[in-house]
Amino acid sequence: MNKCKKIVIVLLCYMLAFSWTAPLTTEAATITDVKPSNSKYTAVKWAVDNGIMETYPGGKFQTHKLVTEQQLLTMIANLDDNYSYSYSTDMIYNYYSELNIPLNSIKGNGNRYANVSRGQFARIFAALKGLDLSEPQAVQYLYLNEITNGTTGKKTYNDYQPNKNITRGDIAVFFYRIAKQGGIASEGLTETATGKDNSQITLPVNFMSNGTVEFEDNNDNNHNDWSNNPTVNNEVQNIEITNPEITANGVDSTLITIDLKDSYGNEISEEESLQFKVTSDAGAKISSSSNSSSGQSIYAYSDGGELSVYVTAPKLTKTIKDTITFELVNNDEAKYSSYKGKEFEVTLRYVPKAELRISYEIYDPANPEYAGGNVDSGVKPTNLPDGMKPGEITIVEVDPDDQTFYGKQGSKSDNSIEYGNAELRIANKEISPWLFEKIALINYNASVQYSLNSEGRPVYNFHTEDVIKTDYKLSISSPVSEIVLFLTEFIPEDEEDISLYHYDSVKAISAIYNSLSTFEQKNLENNYSDAISKLKDAEDLVDSLKKSQDLANRPNGKEKYTKVMVSLVAPGGKIITDYRGKVRITFNGVSGDFEFTTNTKNYVTNTGHAGAAVAYFDAVVYGEAQVTAELLPYDSEDNSYKKSLKDLYNQEVKESIFANQQFKENSCSREVEVGFVIDQSGSMKKNDPTNHVSVKTKQLIKAIDAKYNNAVRFNTKGILEKSGSANAVSSADIFKASNIKGGTNIASGIDIALSSFTNSTTASKSIILVSDGVTTKRQVNQVIQKAKNDNVKIYTVAVGKQADTDFSSLKQIADETGGQFYHISEIEKLHDVYENIAKAILCEDYVSDNFCTSPNSIFDDAEVEIRRTNVTMTATINTNCDNVDKVVAQFNSVYGNYQFDLVDRGQNVYRATHAVSKFQNFNLYEDVEFLAYDEKGDLIGTKTVKIQ
């Protein structure tokens, strides 16, 4: 069969397959059969406008038409933030079946076109959220998440009508409510769905069909007996807010931590996790981690008795107060009866302020992988298509010179739609403007799916079936592999024709190739070796050209540098781009004055915010360092910013920057297997807000380079994320921030790691455990005995302030298995600990005191408190460090520095209290430095703190 005939037959098959199931797109925004007065109209219009669902001929939506499994799964893929593949049916089914989503048709072995029941939808939604629930529990989960109210508002199992087939109107409403709560980011299940998580969802009394629920016999006579509620409410023990007043700029956030007990005042087990609904009255973003925002209402899980959430202030031009409300849900246990109908409230204040915002970038050619920075180039300006709404846009003509295209959407058209700064994709895989042009130019009247990203920028996404016409004879069907081959054809054949102009395009193709599984990559290399060699050669070439360009553009020929960028931000969060004054920037003892116009012309090249001031310093300080910025007075006829920036002039703004250190080259080599067991319980949000432990652990896996590795995360239960070679495990997407939630079950994590080692009798086996919590003694003793039986050493790292928790369990685990125990108060100190552990595993060198030679590792905590009559200085020394002989607190005074000796109070605590009158000549609003000395009088550690 020749190529043309084969393509025609394939197209006919697709037409037949979809002719009776897929709605036809007409005018996306026109809905003729659902009136605005209809209760489902808002949801229906949203679904159509956002390309989640389509209309039938004549603009009809047909709310009562039933939905097939294939249609439902395609809609989910369109809404799923984690789905980034082709929208072909096979690809969608492969993706969601691998996540063990409970489908009636698995990988095509069944009827994909069968109708979906409302009950099945409930189970699918729960599985997408990571919960394996049976149908009754899944229906209750929909109620708890306010996705459904039932058919009459009774909120029972029968009222949901789980046996009825779901309609297009139902789906539109459900998806609309899901989107308002933050959308879908599929988690899936680790095993086939059997209802394993049913215990996490308590069914209310009278939830099932005949109005009764049968409970198992229980010796507790008060079980679900609300007449015997406790009379003393001891739920909230403490509320800690890192900053109750935050800048209303849409960026700054604060961490709220609530310590809870049950209704009788008892401690809540570390393995237990309670679910709370958390809302913001002012519309602030609430999230489980510091680097994500889920929405103004989320469901958060406690870590035992500790509940933590981040709140990000909205952009505001006036000061407001906000009430953050916490309400326990999904729990009818008697010991939490006093929580019923009760809300806990925390008040925050959002204040608009002018800001000097500091970001940085660190470059060291000797250490490219371990440096870092937080430079954010900001939202690049680009216009939206004139008068068009999200949906399909047909590309009529492309103008590469202006980076615009002429597009049509129904009767609407725009001949200058900008794509240079838009988000460009093919099958949700990012591509460059040059590749976008190439695809459009070879496909007359090609269409793109137009949508808006979270920044408000346009997204233009090609569907593969619309633009890829080549018939690649792959030995295994892989739409993403097909994209790689298709895009690689655009790379010039002659290397002399490849320049830095192609850099972004080649790197984009390479990123898609690297997203493939090892099997898919090998398949391409075996069947299309010329194409893959062409891609790899092109990447080597553009990387070399980029390196040469970087060397040529480096200021003053600096071989390594720290780049500091300062942006001016107006009250309300808008970045100022037309200020013409100067800022004084100081780093590592070097200071200079820099203009705010430095970056304006190079904005599109990702060098930073337009108008930012940029300074290069020819030094890299590994570990933590400090940068200061001071806005200098500016005399000009232009006084437009004089009033709004008045509080910034002659005021130093300080920012800590962190350069990630490099592991030393291994001096020893022996056959080892290592398990990396990482705590991802909810309380880790407080001790590791940026998920630094994930980055550092992956680097450690590479550094140790063990023959066999297993990566295990745990919260309420342990999960094996990846096992295999060091390269395979370290390059996998493990220890994700999105998984940080729930309780702390250390024993479960260790148990899975112990069970995941090979049967090798020659390899030395070790586990590295990082946690901030405790676990029950019984479970500790069990895993210790198992580790000893298997001859596995466990190295434990306790994270967090010593005063906040009991690390005795972690110390016991290390001591009794022949490992070592370490304690760090700040997650950035993890590098020093990991260096020691790597040396212990590979060289069998167990000198733990090496950790205490680091100046940044001596102090666990330090603080200065000013009361009405006294000033108290307190320092806590790391439990590993026994080489501290003296601790002093150093203040700045009008006569120079002045020091107070602190008294050793035992338990590694040093403290001194003096009358406030002694400090009358001191600047009590500047930082105070704590200094630690050894017996020889040598300074061995420092810590700088702000006065409280």
Side-chain angles (χ1 to χ4, degrees):
M1 184 182 295
N2 64 39
K3 184 174 177 180
C4 290
K5 287 181 179 178
K6 187 170 182 180
I7 291 173
V8 170
I9 290 175
V10 169
L11 289 173
L12 286 172
C13 290
Y14 270 100
M15 290 170 65
L16 289 171
F18 287 99
S19 60
W20 64 279
T21 60
L24 299 175
T25 303
T26 54
E27 295 181 3
T30 303
I31 303 166
T32 59
D33 61 338
V34 184
K35 296 180 179 179
S37 59
N38 190 307
S39 61
K40 296 181 179 179
Y41 176 80
T42 300
V44 167
K45 190 173 188 309
W46 168 85
V48 172
D49 288 348
N50 286 277
I52 307 301
M53 303 177 75
E54 297 173 326
T55 56
Y56 289 87
K60 293 184 178 181
F61 185 82
Q62 298 188 17
T63 57
H64 297 294
K65 190 175 181 66
L66 301 181
V67 178
T68 68
E69 186 181 86
Q70 178 262 325
Q71 291 170 340
L72 174 63
L73 220 52
T74 302
M75 296 173 199
I76 289 172
N78 273 290
L79 194 62
D80 187 353
D81 289 341
N82 286 345
Y83 187 84
S84 57
Y85 303 96
S86 160
Y87 285 91
S88 69
T89 302
D90 285 342
M91 190 65 217
I92 291 173
Y93 266 89
N94 283 336
Y95 179 81
Y96 288 108
S97 58
E98 287 177 4
L99 292 180
N100 293 299
I101 303 302
L103 306 172
N104 291 331
S105 166
I106 303 298
K107 294 187 178 180
N109 299 323
N111 186 2
R112 297 177 177 178
Y113 306 107
N115 295 325
V116 177
S117 72
R118 288 167 58 89
Q120 185 191 355
F121 170 79
R123 293 193 68 205
I124 289 173
F125 174 73
L128 289 168
K129 294 289 189 177
L131 285 175
D132 176 9
L133 301 179
S134 298
E135 200 165 277
Q137 285 77 12
V139 171
Q140 172 65 357
Y141 187 63
L142 289 181
Y143 284 133
L144 290 170
N145 284 275
E146 299 180 352
I147 306 304
T148 182
N149 295 314
T151 55
T152 67
K154 292 180 180 179
K155 294 189 176 181
T156 64
Y157 180 65
N158 273 358
D159 192 49
Y160 176 70
Q161 298 185 347
N163 296 323
K164 286 186 63 176
N165 288 329
I166 203 160
T167 67
R168 283 168 55 82
D170 293 337
I171 288 295
V173 171
F174 291 163
F175 280 167
Y176 178 62
R177 291 171 179 167
I178 290 168
K180 285 178 66 178
Q181 295 182 15
I184 294 175
S186 56
E187 295 182 36
L189 309 177
T190 56
E191 300 173 355
T192 302
T194 59
K196 290 184 288 295
D197 294 328
N198 284 348
S199 61
Q200 296 190 36
I201 304 295
T202 302
L203 300 180
V205 176
N206 300 328
F207 184 74
M208 300 304 289
S209 57
N210 59 4
T212 63
V213 177
E214 294 183 7
F215 294 97
E216 295 180 6
D217 290 338
N218 195 307
N219 294 328
D220 180 4
N221 294 327
N222 292 330
H223 183 66
N224 285 319
D225 182 2
W226 301 109
S227 64
N228 292 313
N229 285 351
T231 57
V232 180
N233 296 335
N234 297 311
E235 306 97 341
V236 177
Q237 300 298 301
N238 183 54
I239 297 177
E240 181 180 338
I241 309 171
T242 56
N243 191 353
E245 180 179 294
I246 50 180
T247 306
N249 55 12
V251 175
D252 285 9
S253 63
T254 187
L255 175 66
I256 300 174
T257 303
I258 303 179
D259 294 326
L260 303 164
K261 290 188 177 181
D262 69 19
S263 299
Y264 299 94
N266 299 320
E267 298 289 342
I268 299 172
S269 167
E270 293 287 338
E271 287 81 15
E272 194 170 356
S273 183
L274 306 178
Q275 185 182 23
F276 286 81
K277 182 179 180 181
V278 189
T279 57
S280 161
D281 285 354
K285 294 291 185 181
I286 305 172
S287 65
S288 295
S289 62
S290 63
N291 53 6
S292 69
S293 295
S294 302
Q296 65 188 62
S297 177
I298 68 165
Y299 288 89
Y301 294 84
S302 74
D303 180 357
E306 183 174 296
L307 175 66
S308 299
V309 296
Y310 283 89
V311 178
T312 302
K315 291 183 178 182
L316 300 168
T317 56
K318 65 178 181 178
T319 299
I320 66 167
K321 285 187 177 181
D322 188 13
T323 300
I324 309 299
T325 304
F326 300 81
E327 180 184 6
L328 180 68
V329 296
N330 185 32
N331 196 305
D332 283 343
E333 292 185 67
K335 63 180 178 179
Y336 298 116
S337 58
S338 64
Y339 283 75
K340 192 174 180 65
K342 178 177 291 187
E343 294 179 344
F344 309 122
E345 295 182 347
V346 175
T347 301
L348 299 177
R349 193 164 177 257
Y350 308 137
V351 181
K353 296 178 181 177
E355 303 171 72
L356 279 179
R357 190 174 295 167
I358 301 173
S359 57
Y360 66 95
E361 184 178 277
I362 296 165
Y363 176 77
D364 184 351
N367 188 15
E369 187 178 351
Y370 293 83
N374 66 346
V375 170
D376 179 4
S377 59
V379 181
K380 297 176 182 177
T382 190
N383 294 328
L384 301 180
D386 187 26
M388 298 185 189
K389 295 184 178 181
E392 294 285 336
I393 294 179
T394 300
I395 300 176
V396 179
E397 188 178 351
V398 176
D399 185 347
D401 293 331
D402 293 335
Q403 290 194 315
T404 61
F405 69 86
Y406 175 28
K408 285 187 174 183
Q409 185 184 75
S411 61
K412 301 286 186 181
S413 66
D414 185 343
N415 61 4
S416 59
I417 301 174
E418 299 176 0
Y419 63 83
N421 289 335
E423 190 174 306
L424 307 175
R425 295 177 173 270
I426 179 171
N428 273 334
K429 297 291 185 182
E430 287 194 48
I431 57 175
S432 66
W434 184 72
L435 287 172
F436 181 87
E437 295 161 8
K438 292 295 182 183
I439 295 170
L441 288 170
I442 67 168
N443 288 276
Y444 180 70
N445 279 350
S447 292
V448 287
Q449 183 71 26
Y450 160 50
S451 61
L452 298 176
N453 65 14
S454 59
E455 299 171 335
R457 277 198 297 144
V459 179
Y460 302 116
N461 186 20
F462 287 111
H463 294 302
T464 52
E465 55 266 29
D466 295 336
V467 296
I468 300 181
K469 308 297 190 228
T470 311
D471 181 23
Y472 299 108
K473 299 178 179 63
L474 294 174
S475 59
I476 182 172
S477 176
S478 171
V480 181
S481 297
E482 190 177 23
I483 292 171
V484 172
L485 295 174
F486 171 66
L487 297 178
T488 301
E489 290 183 349
F490 295 118
I491 299 174
E493 296 292 339
D494 193 337
E495 287 192 356
E496 292 183 359
D497 295 330
I498 299 176
S499 67
L500 269 176
Y501 180 72
H502 303 99
Y503 178 83
D504 290 340
S505 302
V506 173
K507 298 302 284 187
I509 302 170
S510 179
I512 300 173
Y513 172 75
N514 290 330
S515 73
L516 294 168
S517 67
T518 302
F519 177 80
E520 290 171 318
Q521 290 180 3
K522 290 291 183 186
N523 180 60
L524 285 178
E525 291 172 5
N526 292 335
N527 292 284
Y528 297 93
S529 57
D530 290 346
I532 301 307
S533 295
K534 177 184 177 182
L535 172 60
K536 291 182 176 180
D537 289 345
E539 184 173 24
D540 288 342
L541 178 58
V542 295
D543 281 343
S544 176
L545 293 171
K546 185 72 165 61
K547 187 175 181 180
S548 298
Q549 184 195 55
D550 290 343
L551 288 170
N553 292 341
R554 191 163 301 135
N556 302 323
K558 290 180 172 63
E559 293 186 2
K560 60 181 179 180
Y561 59 81
T562 298
K563 174 183 176 182
V564 179
M565 296 174 47
V566 179
S567 296
L568 263 177
V569 184
K574 183 179 180 180
I575 294 174
I576 298 171
T577 59
D578 57 352
Y579 186 77
R580 294 295 177 261
K582 291 184 178 182
V583 61
R584 181 164 296 157
I585 304 174
T586 305
F587 172 70
N588 198 36
V590 179
S591 182
D593 298 343
F594 302 88
E595 294 183 356
F596 278 99
T597 56
T598 306
N599 254 14
T600 306
K601 294 181 181 178
N602 296 323
Y603 181 43
V604 177
T605 63
N606 286 319
T607 53
H609 288 296
V614 180
Y616 286 86
F617 298 90
D618 57 357
V620 172
V621 179
Y622 281 98
E624 194 170 25
Q626 206 167 54
V627 171
T628 63
E630 179 185 354
L631 186 64
L632 301 178
Y634 177 48
D635 294 324
S636 171
E637 294 180 2
D638 179 12
N639 293 320
S640 56
Y641 294 112
K642 190 172 183 179
K643 183 177 180 180
S644 60
L645 302 179
K646 62 181 177 63
D647 293 335
L648 291 180
Y649 289 116
N650 298 317
Q651 297 294 323
E652 278 193 346
V653 176
K654 297 182 179 181
E655 182 75 33
S656 293
I657 69 173
F658 181 75
N660 201 356
Q661 296 162 276
Q662 187 172 17
F663 285 103
K664 298 172 185 174
E665 189 171 344
N666 293 335
S667 57
C668 308
S669 178
R670 66 189 187 118
E671 186 180 350
V672 297
E673 294 185 12
V674 184
F676 300 85
V677 182
I678 304 301
D679 186 347
Q680 293 207 286
S681 63
S683 59
M684 285 294 287
K685 293 193 290 284
K686 179 170 65 176
N687 294 308
D688 185 15
T690 62
N691 199 22
H692 177 67
V693 69
S694 173
V695 175
K696 207 71 211 175
T697 302
K698 286 193 263 189
Q699 292 171 352
L700 178 64
I701 295 170
K702 283 185 180 180
I704 294 178
D705 196 23
K707 181 178 181 180
Y708 185 82
N709 307 262
N710 59 70
V712 178
R713 64 175 167 89
F714 68 89
N715 40 45
T716 310
K717 62 181 179 180
I719 295 176
L720 176 65
E721 292 205 297
K722 186 73 175 179
S723 59
S725 68
N727 183 60
V729 176
S730 63
S731 59
D733 190 14
I734 55 178
F735 309 135
K736 295 189 295 186
S738 59
N739 292 321
I740 301 177
K741 59 185 176 182
T744 306
N745 193 335
I746 294 174
S748 176
I750 295 175
D751 189 54
I752 289 176
L754 289 170
S755 302
S756 300
F757 286 117
T758 71
N759 295 324
S760 171
T761 57
T762 58
S764 174
K765 298 174 182 177
S766 304
I767 287 175
I768 300 171
L769 167 67
V770 180
S771 178
D772 69 342
V774 296
T775 191
T776 62
K777 289 292 183 184
R778 179 181 60 81
Q779 290 179 315
V780 166
N781 292 332
Q782 288 176 347
V783 294
I784 287 175
Q785 191 56 51
K786 185 174 180 180
K788 291 165 72 174
N789 293 342
D790 295 346
N791 197 27
V792 177
K793 293 182 174 67
I794 303 179
Y795 300 83
T796 60
V797 184
V799 180
K801 293 182 180 180
Q802 185 178 339
D804 287 349
T805 189
D806 175 15
F807 296 136
S808 59
S809 297
L810 296 176
K811 194 171 190 310
Q812 180 190 356
I813 292 169
D815 291 345
E816 295 192 24
T817 61
Q820 287 179 284
F821 168 76
Y822 296 90
H823 171 225
I824 55 174
S825 57
E826 297 165 358
I827 199 68
E828 289 79 10
K829 298 174 183 176
L830 188 60
H831 178 87
D832 292 331
V833 173
Y834 273 179
E835 284 275 21
N836 275 9
I837 294 177
K839 190 174 182 181
I841 290 174
L842 294 171
C843 305
E844 298 186 274
D845 186 345
Y846 301 100
V847 184
S848 62
D849 284 344
N850 285 346
F851 174 55
C852 290
T853 61
S854 169
N856 294 324
S857 304
I858 300 294
F859 288 97
D860 175 33
D861 193 18
E863 65 178 8
V864 177
E865 293 183 300
I866 302 176
R867 295 296 179 257
R868 187 169 59 86
T869 58
N870 294 320
V871 176
T872 299
M873 299 150 281
T874 306
T876 307
I877 302 300
N878 192 298
T879 54
N880 286 94
C881 304
D882 55 7
N883 54 337
V884 176
D885 182 63
K886 177 183 177 181
V887 176
V888 302
Q890 180 172 278
F891 292 78
N892 293 319
S893 78
V894 294
Y895 306 111
N897 294 334
Y898 192 87
Q899 295 183 345
F900 289 97
D901 290 341
L902 274 60
V903 180
D904 186 352
R905 303 291 185 180
Q907 301 295 318
N908 298 320
V909 175
Y910 290 75
R911 179 179 293 119
T913 299
H914 293 283
V916 75
S917 58
K918 279 192 174 185
F919 298 81
Q920 59 183 342
N921 294 322
F922 296 177
N923 187 342
L924 290 180
Y925 298 97
E926 289 192 358
D927 295 340
V928 178
E929 189 170 25
F930 285 79
L931 311 171
Y933 297 88
D934 62 13
E935 289 182 350
K936 298 177 181 179
D938 294 332
L939 180 64
I940 57 174
T942 63
K943 185 176 182 67
T944 302
V945 301
K946 294 184 181 297
I947 298 176
Q948 297 182 355

